[in-house]
Amino acid sequence: MKFVLFYHSLISDWNHGNAHFLRGIVSELLYRGHAVDVYEPESGWSLTNLLNERGEAALADFYVTFPELSSKSFDAASLDVDAALEGADVVIVHEWNEPALIQRIGASARRQGCTALFHDTHHRSVTDASTMAELDLRHYDGVLAFGQAVAEQYTRHGWAAQSWVWHEAADLRRFAPLPVTDQRADLVWIGNWGDDERSAELHEHLIEPTRRLRLKAAVHGVRYPEHALQTLREAGIAYRGWLPNHRVPEVFARHRCTVHVPRQTYARQLHGIPTIRMFEALACGIPLVSAPWRDSENLFRPGVDYLVAADGNEMERHLRAILNDAELAASLARHGLETILARHSCAHRVDELLNILTTRQTAALPRSVAGGLS
């Protein structure tokens, strides 16, 4: 089949967590013999910031690591959407596209008999529902939502005809345990500071436990304001800045454990949705301790795949236990990886996507897709 994907960026992961999953899905589709065109805005926010901070060398590194991947940059005002979808069986449109473009793609897909799916990997369905309600999804066959709580927003409010749960997952071609040495540091956290959506949580579950335990720790990410950097310095935590996503396994291999600190919206409202960081960490076999979130969809085995810390004091106890109990650390790493391999790879998600395409209402399925998947 031919897939056409409209995403914020394939080649930049600067403050763009969805890049990992997108790259993994495209790689898997190509591996299975499908044709894939990825479109991204030529002046996208992530790419612009990456080039301003790191220059063209960052892009060269991407192409060396992902030789099979490429994208087509476009200007929304001049893009010929009909030409972009010519011959396509499926188009998937990420929710960070401009509303007018989302509408144009849906209309074009309907004219050309192409299955159109809208992909939501954010919390705006809850935190900015009025904006999401205004999106014109009438020509879309349904929504791929990265959690049941998000999928239910679309069906509950009548924003889309159908919705399916399509969680993120790990790209096992790039994320796997790497050899470690005895010279590892204690703790690493990989994540962006963001817009104060988890500032208190980072203080309680990362910064203070690290300070009290006097751990040798590092943080990677972007958009850290000066007051956050000062707090890290005072806690003795090294700030390392932007980390190319495909370099994450190397960094995990140089540390003995990591933590997961979800943003407030996911911890308190959109239950069942972990960040991509959990999939990354478990795929790389590094012991993980998570701040509270409700795994309402039973994605993992809390207490077996990772430990859960209800507060900062419990986080401190769990980290001390992992760092001083090699058997516990090995068990967490082994079981976490086991769950990823069994359920949460990009190959699993491509299987799910193809199943969605085959099981949705036959009347809405283009003949070319039905024949290609039957």
Side-chain angles (χ1 to χ4, degrees):
M1 289 190 297
K2 180 179 179 180
F3 289 81
V4 178
L5 312 180
F6 283 83
Y7 278 81
H8 180 67
S9 185
L10 178 75
I11 61 178
S12 174
D13 55 42
W14 196 97
N15 202 65
H16 175 36
N18 192 240
H20 172 164
F21 183 60
L22 169 61
R23 293 166 177 173
I25 292 298
V26 175
S27 293
E28 183 65 24
L29 287 171
L30 291 172
Y31 173 77
R32 299 189 189 195
H34 300 289
V36 185
D37 288 343
V38 180
Y39 285 82
E40 62 176 274
E42 60 186 8
S43 300
W45 183 77
S46 177
L47 179 59
T48 298
N49 279 282
L50 177 61
L51 291 174
N52 288 340
E53 181 177 309
R54 297 301 175 102
E56 294 288 341
L59 301 188
D61 186 39
F62 165 82
Y63 288 116
V64 169
T65 306
F66 300 92
E68 77 276 21
L69 301 185
S70 64
S71 63
K72 301 181 179 183
S73 62
F74 69 89
D75 173 69
S78 60
L79 177 67
D80 185 338
V81 175
D82 287 340
L85 297 189
E86 184 176 358
D89 296 295
V90 182
V91 59
I92 301 177
V93 183
H94 193 246
E95 50 99 10
W96 278 117
N97 283 283
E98 293 295 328
L101 179 62
I102 292 170
Q103 187 278 329
R104 290 170 58 202
I105 294 172
S108 178
R110 180 56 56 92
R111 289 194 300 269
Q112 301 195 48
C114 171
T115 297
L117 300 173
F118 187 69
H119 189 197
D120 192 332
T121 63
H122 202 257
H123 56 59
R124 291 197 300 166
S125 61
V126 169
T127 58
D128 193 10
S130 60
T131 295
M132 302 306 288
E134 293 175 356
L135 294 179
D136 184 355
L137 301 181
R138 57 185 162 167
H139 297 309
Y140 284 76
D141 297 280
V143 173
L144 301 171
F146 78 148
Q148 185 64 44
V150 174
E152 290 174 353
Q153 288 292 103
Y154 284 88
T155 54
R156 180 185 304 120
H157 297 296
W159 296 343
Q162 298 181 78
S163 61
W164 299 274
V165 176
W166 202 40
H167 280 287
E168 293 183 302
D171 176 8
L172 298 186
R173 288 181 173 84
R174 276 92 189 184
F175 284 77
L178 296 179
V180 300
T181 70
D182 293 335
Q183 302 303 314
R184 290 177 293 167
D186 296 317
L187 172 69
V188 65
W189 186 70
I190 300 172
N192 305 318
W193 187 264
D195 301 307
D196 292 324
E197 293 178 315
R198 56 182 167 196
S199 300
E201 290 79 5
L202 286 172
H203 277 274
E204 180 175 5
H205 291 93
L206 171 66
I207 297 171
E208 285 306 308
T210 298
R211 183 186 61 80
R212 292 194 297 266
L213 291 172
R214 297 183 179 181
L215 302 182
K216 184 178 181 181
V219 163
H220 293 264
V222 300
R223 299 181 66 202
Y224 280 71
E226 180 53 38
H227 70 83
L229 297 176
Q230 179 62 30
T231 300
L232 293 179
R233 287 192 291 268
E234 292 173 353
I237 301 173
Y239 174 64
R240 301 278 168 74
W242 173 71
L243 176 69
N245 184 252
H246 58 274
R247 302 294 183 194
V248 166
E250 301 170 17
V251 172
F252 280 150
R254 296 197 295 268
H255 293 82
R256 299 173 63 193
C257 64
T258 188
V259 297
H260 170 240
V261 186
R263 297 174 189 269
Q264 294 174 4
T265 304
Y266 298 117
R268 302 176 185 178
Q269 295 173 270
L270 293 176
H271 300 143
I273 302 175
T275 71
I276 190 66
R277 303 304 182 187
M278 280 201 68
F279 296 108
E280 292 176 349
L282 299 185
C284 291
I286 184 172
L288 180 146
V289 186
S290 178
W293 71 284
R294 187 186 305 172
D295 187 5
S296 59
E297 299 185 49
N298 299 312
L299 299 175
F300 307 107
R301 299 169 294 181
V304 176
D305 297 335
Y306 64 95
L307 300 180
V308 181
D311 54 31
N313 290 329
E314 190 168 23
M315 175 65 77
E316 182 178 343
R317 291 196 297 273
H318 283 330
L319 291 176
R320 182 186 292 112
I322 288 173
L323 294 171
N324 290 282
D325 186 338
E327 185 175 338
L328 171 62
S331 176
L332 292 170
R334 182 175 66 254
H335 286 108
L337 176 60
E338 179 181 83
T339 295
I340 294 294
L341 295 177
R343 304 179 56 196
H344 301 308
S345 70
C346 287
H348 289 110
R349 298 302 181 258
V350 167
D351 287 341
E352 293 168 7
L353 174 61
L354 297 180
N355 186 59
I356 288 168
L357 294 171
T358 57
T359 58
R360 53 181 289 270
Q361 293 182 352
T362 304
L365 197 64
R367 185 175 302 171
S368 60
V369 178
L373 292 175
S374 61

